[in-house]
Amino acid sequence: MDITIKAAKRAEQGSSASRRLRRAGQVPAIIFGADQDAVSVTLDHNEMYHWLHKEAFHASILNVDVDGQVESVVLRDAQWHPYKQLVLHMDFMRVKTGVAITMKVPLHFTNEEASPGLKVQHGIASHILTEVEISTLPRNLPEFIEVDLTGMNLGDSITLAGLKLPEGVEVIDHGHPDQVVVTILSPQVKEADVAEEAEEGGEAAAEE
């Protein structure tokens, strides 16, 4: 997805200046990296609020137009107010052509209807992970990684090592390639887990 957002340089720094910006419907942000000086900018709050609720915004190369100068960046962090629907601050990192970046991207689980464990054996897909950390060149950055459940039976699992990755993309497994991503549980196992959790919760409440 081609995403371009507008930004303006800001000279004022500090918490008081940031509060004034937020009252004016702006979000303070910073652009850093790629062996260049960090640049403080402001963004439109409503636009950022909208984009932050889009999955692709978190795993895409973004174009930030800073007073007419466009930079390629990725979102590194977004800080929210603890209880208001208010974006407090955003961090963007510049990307360079030919230099690998590390990102977390979401997992999309597909073809549940082609899983015998789900459709015939009435199992339940337990999604252990919903995102993975990857390393890739900017041009190869996927918005998501597909996890195909075709042919999975009860008890079957897919691990990090078993993911089918787009060309040029590597999963960072932190030394645990056998980390389970998704497994097909029997309904009885799932029900037993729920009953056990409920029992443990009751015991904890009684102890209190």
Side-chain angles (χ1 to χ4, degrees), residues 93-140:
M93 186 183 76
R94 298 183 184 94
V95 298
K96 293 176 65 175
T97 302
V99 177
I101 57 174
T102 300
M103 292 283 292
K104 288 185 177 180
V105 297
L107 299 173
H108 285 191
F109 299 89
T110 62
N111 295 324
E112 291 191 356
E113 70 284 353
S115 165
L118 296 177
K119 301 304 291 185
V120 179
Q121 301 161 326
H122 308 295
I124 299 170
S126 177
H127 301 160
I128 310 301
L129 300 179
T130 57
E131 63 180 15
V132 292
E133 191 173 12
I134 64 169
S135 176
T136 184
L137 294 176
R139 68 172 182 272
N140 295 328

Side-chain angles (χ1 to χ4, degrees), residues 153-199:
N153 293 289
L154 287 180
D156 287 349
S157 299
I158 296 176
T159 64
L160 288 176
L163 290 175
K164 296 181 179 178
L165 303 172
E167 183 179 357
V169 175
E170 295 181 2
V171 165
I172 300 176
D173 59 29
H174 300 286
H176 298 283
D178 57 348
Q179 166 67 53
V180 174
V181 173
V182 60
T183 187
I184 307 299
L185 301 177
S186 70
Q188 291 79 10
V189 170
K190 194 66 175 178
E191 289 170 5
D193 289 344
V194 172
E196 183 178 347
E197 289 176 3
E199 183 178 344

